[in-house]
Amino acid sequence: MQTFLGVAHPWMCDVMGHMSARHYMAMFDDASFYLLGIIANLEIRPGAPTGWADVRYEIDYRAEVQPGTLIAITSRIERIGRSSVTIVHNMDGALDRLPRAQAMAVTVHFDMTKREAAPLPPDIRQRAEALMQR
């Protein structure tokens, strides 16, 4: 599922002329937020009783992202746990489709009052399983 479209602006690039790691992370985070909103069927807002907390991120850089590169991220649910989902994001050039990076994120469904992991409700689990099958 496509979860992000964007561009590597020159201000996102470091002194070596390619996009810096902080901006890869921001794009992957936006892609996660989109996908989690889809499986929760909810836009998370301040004061919501539950949300999501990232507990692990792993990024493999495949090729440099130059200023002006159009970026597309597709994401899939890799694994569903009791209270977590593992998401795999693939960042490619939107025009040339060349792989630029891949990220794996483990995100926990989070009780905002108790400040701890909360079991995935059946409806969220069902939507996540449906995306896993794609």
Side-chain angles (χ1 to χ4, degrees), residues 36-37 39-40 44 50-54 83 85 107-110 120 124:
L36 293 168
I39 67 169
I44 303 299
T50 60
W52 301 93
D54 295 335
S83 62
V85 292
T107 303
V108 172
H109 187 242
F110 196 72
L120 293 172
I124 290 178

Side-chain angles (χ1 to χ4, degrees), residues 12-59:
M12 295 174 159
C13 298
D14 59 24
V15 297
M16 293 183 289
H18 54 233
M19 191 165 71
S20 70
R22 73 175 65 191
H23 297 293
Y24 282 87
M25 191 62 216
M27 290 178 181
F28 286 131
D29 189 53
D30 285 350
S32 283
F33 200 85
Y34 181 90
L35 184 63
L36 293 168
I38 295 297
I39 67 169
N41 196 32
L42 178 70
E43 294 177 352
I44 303 299
R45 306 245 190 258
T50 60
W52 301 93
D54 295 335
V55 296
R56 180 177 179 167
Y57 247 98
E58 200 174 290
I59 301 175

Side-chain angles (χ1 to χ4, degrees), residues 63-114:
E64 290 183 302
V65 173
Q66 302 291 325
T69 302
L70 299 178
I71 298 296
I73 297 177
T74 56
S75 307
R76 70 179 190 281
I77 304 291
E78 179 78 11
R79 182 182 168 281
I80 303 168
R82 182 188 77 78
S83 62
S84 68
V85 292
T86 301
I87 303 167
V88 173
H89 301 290
N90 289 296
M91 176 187 284
D92 300 316
L95 299 179
D96 62 18
R97 305 309 301 163
L98 293 175
R100 296 312 203 281
Q102 184 178 69
M104 183 275 303
V106 178
T107 303
V108 172
H109 187 242
F110 196 72
D111 184 308
M112 299 297 284
T113 303
K114 295 179 182 176

